[in-house]
Amino acid sequence: MLALVILSVNVKVSAQLSAIHDFNRNDSVLLISESSDTLLYPFAGGLNSCQVMNIDMNLDGIEDILVFDRHGNRILPFIVSVSPAGKLLFKPELTLSFPPIEQWMQAVDYNRDGKKDIFTYTTGGIKVYRNDSQNTVKFTEVTKPFLYSLQGTTLTNILVTYADYPVIADVDGDSDIDVLTFWGLGSFVEYHRNTSMERFGIADSLTFDKASSCWGHFAEGNESNAIVLDTCPGVKKSDLISEKSPDDPKHTGSTLLMNDLNGDGLPDLILGDVDFSSLVQLTNGGSVSDAKMISQTSNFPNSMDPVSMNTFPAAMLADVDNDGQKDLLVSPFDPSLIKGENFESISLYHNSGTNLHPDFQFTSKSFLQDQMLDLGSGAYPVFFDYNGDGLQDLLVGNYGYEDSCVYSPVDGLQCYFTAKLALLLNIGTTSKPAFKLVDRNIAHLDLLQMQSLIPSVADMDGDGDKDLVCGNSKGKLVYCENTALPGQPADFKLIDSAWPAIDDIGDFSAPQFFDLDQDGLDDLVIGKKNGTLNFYKNTGSLQVPQFTMESELFGGVDVTNTQLSYNGYNVPFFYKDKLGDIMLFSGSEFGDIFVYDQVINNLDGNFRLVGTLPGIKEGLRSGVAIGNLNNDTLTDMLVGNYSGGMGLFFGKPDKIFGIWEYSKQLFNKLSITPNPVVNEVSVDIKSDLAIKSENLLIQGMEGNVIRKYSKVDFPITIDVSDLKNGIYLVSVQTNRGVASGKLVICR
């Protein structure tokens, strides 16, 4: 009964959020890189730890490119264009067609119907979704809960850990799909043979027998990525990698790619290993029925440009240029957020040979990624008019750019990051924004050698310009004063790297200044790693602010997903909607955007959790910035994620909530009389300013437009006798801004 009640509440919350805060993703806003290139996919969200595959996603018979980033379990679809031929088009709306994916995925047509199915990780093994697409893309889960294999006399799950990337391919050449994966505790590769052809005479099933515990007759080193050939469990070798024998193995994670690399008809193997930078190629000198690796090379794919990554490379094959030949792609497979390649995360080696005789030539270290805004690891945006031209520019902090990585036998691989603050200037117009990345290191905050710089702006000294305050991973606040002369672009000077006005609040401080008690002074709210908020009331003045601690659990807010983590990584953003209500959007560890209301006159109580924004989950450790980019009075939003990029969303038309901008509070009063009303209502604007009306809207509380009047002369009398009893919103759009009020019809 309890579960039923919770389900009902969640459905209601989602419907309410859709009505109030609804967004269209926008990928058409121009963004120019620091090298003056126009980026093709500027707000695709960055990339970190990826797998790349071919699958037809728009059902036109052409295989497209799908990228899966395990940092946030993000799916990024790229459609191969017919006209212009071969161009890749980013189509994020197609992500809704895919099932939930975790850790890794591969697209393989197991039932030979011409449609790629999905294999992915599940706790304990492999989950499979059959591609049942007809007129639309559709996947159906066919394993509950695992993919099983007959191992001895027992049907047991095929174990693939989250740290392993298996081979899912036809290993023995009989047309059905087999599985190669490392034994969960060992250095040997298990071969699970699909018996579909043997049992049914057709390759359309997922029935497996464990055919070998030592496919290829080799062992991976217990303490390194070195390979011992011609060995299997029970075979003693004097040249083993460590003091332990293969009968006492230790396995910590590996990636596998199978492909015939020399055209002899035998499957060779490419192997990656956790904490090591290169790929090892193993050449098969056995037979189709009994693979035996006879030689190895560590400079794959060639001695001129071998793969070299910080850690744990995974190799994949996909045709990325629609020439019919499978190209080689390599990306880190490490699930750790503090290792990897930052913004050079997908190496592309173009196949200048054929599929039977591949010749992989290095092409790029940042395939697709070089066409996105990617700020390393993490992206925390804030809107700020940097140069005073009236357009909303962007300051974006990050967790950091990777500086160096050091490996030791005791600690493994340790990587070091330095956070920076990027500046994107708005070079567009008031109605059509466009951005240019002009500086990845504004104010030279990299000299502080910090991680997770999260920016906020406010006038901290009462001189009329906005200063800069940043949170960081150590929990302190960094204070920079804006020393620019009037009319000049901002010039931030570091005053204090551990601002004494605020005590250490714990790891990963995320500040925002906002006048919560509406006394004309900006208060301070700080999000924390534990998912909650600190509230500091400004008890000083405009010239000399003083921040007094009021709460360490402000509003009862906690965005921690306790089923998955002890942490929440709360990144708050308060704003005032055009009805004058204060709302809170909070980013969180797993990317959900939490929405709270009932803030006004409730600073000592608990805010109401309305829900999470439906359909918007950009990646891990989300950060939110809200503003008005196109002068339409609707809420626009940027959502940053840990992969170093951002998604851009514009408010949908005909929704009642937009941004309250203090510069647009130009009306003394919007007069609606009588109110409540029976049949006729008079609407007027009381202002000393020259007002030119554009539109007058009457909307239902769900945001639907009921009446629309253009070029209104005030006062105006409106007949509402045909409207039902209830509460309506009246909003007037003018050359001076927007004025809104509630209309009550009661008979």
Side-chain angles (χ1 to χ4, degrees):
M1 187 62 174
L2 176 61
L4 179 60
V5 171
I6 291 174
L7 177 61
S8 299
V9 170
N10 285 341
V11 171
K12 183 177 181 180
V13 163
S14 295
Q16 185 175 2
L17 273 173
S18 292
I20 295 175
H21 294 288
D22 214 350
F23 297 91
N24 284 319
R25 187 177 188 116
N26 190 300
D27 291 289
S28 63
V29 170
L30 181 73
L31 198 158
I32 298 174
S33 71
E34 63 264 56
S35 58
S36 297
D37 296 323
T38 299
L39 300 181
L40 297 177
Y41 324 113
F43 296 103
L47 298 171
N48 267 11
S49 180
C50 300
Q51 295 123 51
V52 184
M53 62 212 75
N54 289 123
I55 184 170
D56 182 4
M57 289 178 284
N58 59 349
L59 308 181
D60 64 352
I62 300 173
E63 289 207 320
D64 307 302
I65 302 296
L66 178 65
V67 180
F68 174 72
D69 187 348
R70 73 181 304 185
H71 285 181
N73 294 325
R74 302 167 56 228
I75 292 176
L76 293 88
F78 294 86
I79 298 299
V80 176
S81 169
V82 176
S83 178
K87 182 179 179 181
L88 295 179
L89 307 175
F90 181 50
K91 296 293 182 180
E93 63 272 15
L94 293 176
T95 60
L96 300 176
S97 302
F98 286 86
I101 304 296
E102 294 183 59
Q103 305 297 346
W104 58 263
M105 71 180 293
Q106 296 184 33
V108 182
D109 181 9
Y110 81 83
N111 57 0
R112 303 300 185 184
D113 64 352
K115 295 177 286 191
K116 294 280 185 72
D117 310 295
I118 298 296
F119 290 71
T120 185
Y121 170 82
T122 188
T123 303
I126 301 173
K127 181 184 292 186
V128 184
Y129 293 92
R130 185 181 62 232
N131 190 337
D132 290 333
S133 302
Q134 295 295 331
N135 297 321
T136 59
V137 177
K138 178 184 177 182
F139 293 92
T140 304
E141 184 179 353
V142 294
T143 55
K144 298 186 184 296
F146 319 109
L147 198 59
Y148 289 95
S149 176
L150 185 63
Q151 304 184 42
T153 59
T154 305
L155 197 63
T156 306
N157 55 300
I158 299 175
L159 179 63
V160 178
T161 73
Y162 76 97
D164 284 310
Y165 189 65
V167 167
I168 301 173
D170 181 9
V171 174
D172 55 6
D174 67 351
S175 297
D176 53 25
I177 298 301
D178 311 299
V179 176
L180 297 177
T181 184
F182 271 96
W183 176 34
L185 298 176
S187 300
F188 304 100
V189 172
E190 292 182 346
Y191 169 34
H192 296 270
R193 180 181 58 201
N194 192 334
T195 60
S196 179
M197 287 297 295
E198 289 81 0
R199 295 183 183 184
F200 313 116
I202 185 171
D204 65 350
S205 301
L206 295 169
T207 59
F208 295 89
D209 289 348
K210 182 179 175 183
S212 175
S213 297
C214 187
W215 186 87
H217 296 270
F218 72 93
E220 184 188 33
N222 304 315
E223 305 294 340
S224 74
N225 67 336
I227 300 296
V228 176
L229 301 176
D230 193 23
T231 189
C232 278
V235 178
K236 303 297 181 181
K237 297 287 288 185
S238 60
D239 57 347
L240 288 176
I241 310 307
S242 72
E243 295 178 358
K244 298 180 181 180
S245 77
D247 297 316
D248 183 22
K250 181 177 72 174
H251 177 67
T252 54
S254 298
T255 63
L256 298 173
L257 173 64
M258 187 191 77
N259 194 60
D260 182 2
L261 297 171
N262 53 13
D264 63 358
L266 299 177
D268 306 306
L269 205 62
I270 299 98
L271 173 66
D273 191 68
V274 65
D275 282 348
F276 290 91
S277 61
S278 61
L279 291 169
V280 177
Q281 176 185 335
L282 302 178
T283 300
N284 190 352
S287 63
V288 172
S289 60
D290 185 19
K292 185 175 183 179
M293 302 303 160
I294 59 173
S295 64
Q296 60 179 300
T297 178
S298 59
N299 60 356
F300 181 80
N302 57 62
S303 58
M304 293 293 293
D305 296 294
V307 169
S308 180
M309 290 189 165
N310 289 334
T311 180
F312 208 179
M316 300 142 281
L317 294 175
D319 180 5
V320 302
D321 51 9
N322 202 33
D323 66 352
Q325 310 304 320
K326 296 289 186 180
D327 305 298
L328 174 69
L329 299 113
V330 186
S331 185
F333 191 69
D334 203 308
S336 170
L337 300 184
I338 54 174
K339 299 178 184 178
E341 292 297 321
N342 247 205
F343 60 111
E344 290 185 341
S345 296
I346 302 182
S347 291
L348 169 63
Y349 291 79
H350 178 259
N351 185 358
S352 60
T354 66
N355 289 330
L356 293 177
H357 295 275
D359 181 12
F360 299 120
Q361 298 297 320
F362 174 74
T363 305
S364 171
K365 281 192 173 183
S366 51
F367 171 65
L368 295 176
Q369 194 175 17
D370 58 5
Q371 295 299 319
M372 305 175 186
L373 176 68
D374 195 321
L375 301 174
S377 293
Y380 305 103
V382 64
F383 289 109
F384 169 56
D385 186 359
Y386 176 83
N387 53 6
D389 63 355
L391 303 178
Q392 292 292 299
D393 307 306
L394 284 169
L395 294 175
V396 190
N398 67 356
Y399 175 83
Y401 296 97
E402 177 264 310
D403 285 334
S404 61
C405 293
V406 178
Y407 177 80
S408 74
V410 176
D411 299 321
L413 187 72
Q414 300 291 314
C415 292
Y416 302 93
F417 292 77
T418 297
K420 298 179 182 180
L421 188 64
L423 170 63
L424 285 80
L425 285 181
N426 190 339
I427 58 174
T429 65
T430 54
S431 60
K432 188 175 182 180
F435 294 96
K436 178 175 175 58
L437 176 60
V438 297
D439 196 340
R440 288 182 181 263
N441 190 24
I442 194 76
H444 299 288
L445 296 183
D446 63 319
L447 298 176
L448 300 176
Q449 293 292 296
M450 290 181 170
Q451 292 79 47
S452 195
L453 285 175
I454 301 180
S456 59
V457 289
D459 185 357
M460 302 304 299
D461 49 14
D463 64 354
D465 57 27
K466 290 188 176 182
D467 307 296
L468 173 68
V469 177
C470 296
N472 63 80
S473 64
K474 299 300 183 183
K476 292 288 189 179
L477 297 183
V478 178
Y479 173 45
C480 297
E481 181 184 352
N482 187 351
T483 61
L485 296 174
Q488 296 298 309
D491 184 9
F492 296 121
K493 178 183 178 182
L494 178 64
I495 301 299
D496 202 320
S497 61
W499 193 35
I502 301 298
D503 294 330
D504 188 348
I505 60 102
D507 294 345
F508 292 89
S509 51
Q512 188 201 4
F513 293 92
F514 192 89
D515 184 6
L516 285 162
D517 54 8
Q518 303 181 89
D519 63 353
L521 301 176
D522 279 337
D523 307 300
L524 173 61
V525 178
I526 303 178
K528 297 177 289 185
K529 179 180 178 180
N530 70 2
T532 64
L533 301 175
N534 277 17
F535 172 46
Y536 300 83
K537 177 178 171 58
N538 189 344
T539 57
S541 64
L542 288 174
Q543 290 72 30
V544 185
Q546 296 289 331
F547 295 100
T548 303
M549 164 68 79
E550 295 287 330
S551 174
E552 292 184 346
L553 189 58
F554 185 43
V557 172
D558 189 345
V559 299
T560 302
N561 185 335
T562 55
Q563 294 181 337
L564 299 175
S565 177
Y566 294 108
N567 302 313
Y569 291 92
N570 194 329
V571 181
F573 195 98
F574 286 91
Y575 81 99
K576 185 175 285 189
D577 65 40
K578 67 184 181 184
L579 293 183
D581 293 327
I582 294 176
M583 308 288 294
L584 167 63
F585 282 19
S586 277
S588 63
E589 180 175 16
F590 296 105
D592 292 299
I593 309 299
F594 289 78
V595 180
Y596 294 84
D597 64 4
Q598 297 184 0
V599 176
I600 292 179
N601 299 322
N602 190 29
L603 302 186
D604 295 326
N606 290 337
F607 308 150
R608 181 179 68 161
L609 174 60
V610 185
T612 58
L613 285 181
I616 297 179
K617 197 168 183 178
E618 290 298 288
L620 296 175
R621 298 192 190 176
S622 51
V624 183
I626 291 175
N628 186 352
L629 283 174
N630 53 3
N631 202 34
D632 64 355
T633 76
L634 294 171
T635 303
D636 303 322
M637 180 173 67
L638 277 165
V639 181
N641 67 71
Y642 196 80
S643 292
M646 297 183 291
L648 175 60
F649 302 85
F650 280 3
K652 283 187 178 179
D654 299 334
K655 297 298 177 181
I656 65 174
F657 283 83
I659 297 298
W660 177 290
E661 297 188 31
Y662 290 98
S663 63
K664 292 186 178 180
Q665 295 181 40
L666 302 177
F667 307 118
N668 297 329
K669 184 179 180 182
L670 177 66
S671 173
I672 303 173
T673 56
N675 201 4
V677 65
V678 177
N679 294 317
E680 286 189 343
V681 63
S682 176
V683 180
D684 196 6
I685 291 178
K686 304 294 186 181
S687 176
D688 298 328
L689 299 168
I691 300 298
K692 180 181 178 182
S693 170
E694 298 294 337
N695 294 300
L696 186 153
L697 302 178
I698 298 179
Q699 296 169 274
M701 293 309 291
E702 293 298 312
N704 53 308
V705 176
I706 297 171
R707 299 276 185 84
K708 181 177 181 180
Y709 304 90
S710 300
K711 308 298 182 183
V712 176
D713 293 323
F714 293 104
I716 180 175
T717 300
I718 301 173
D719 184 357
V720 294
S721 60
D722 59 330
L723 299 184
K724 296 179 180 180
N725 288 353
I727 300 175
Y728 298 83
L729 174 71
V730 178
S731 60
V732 179
Q733 302 169 353
T734 80
N735 60 318
R736 295 287 185 173
V738 176
S740 301
K742 292 178 181 177
L743 167 66
V744 179
I745 299 177
C746 182
R747 301 183 183 92

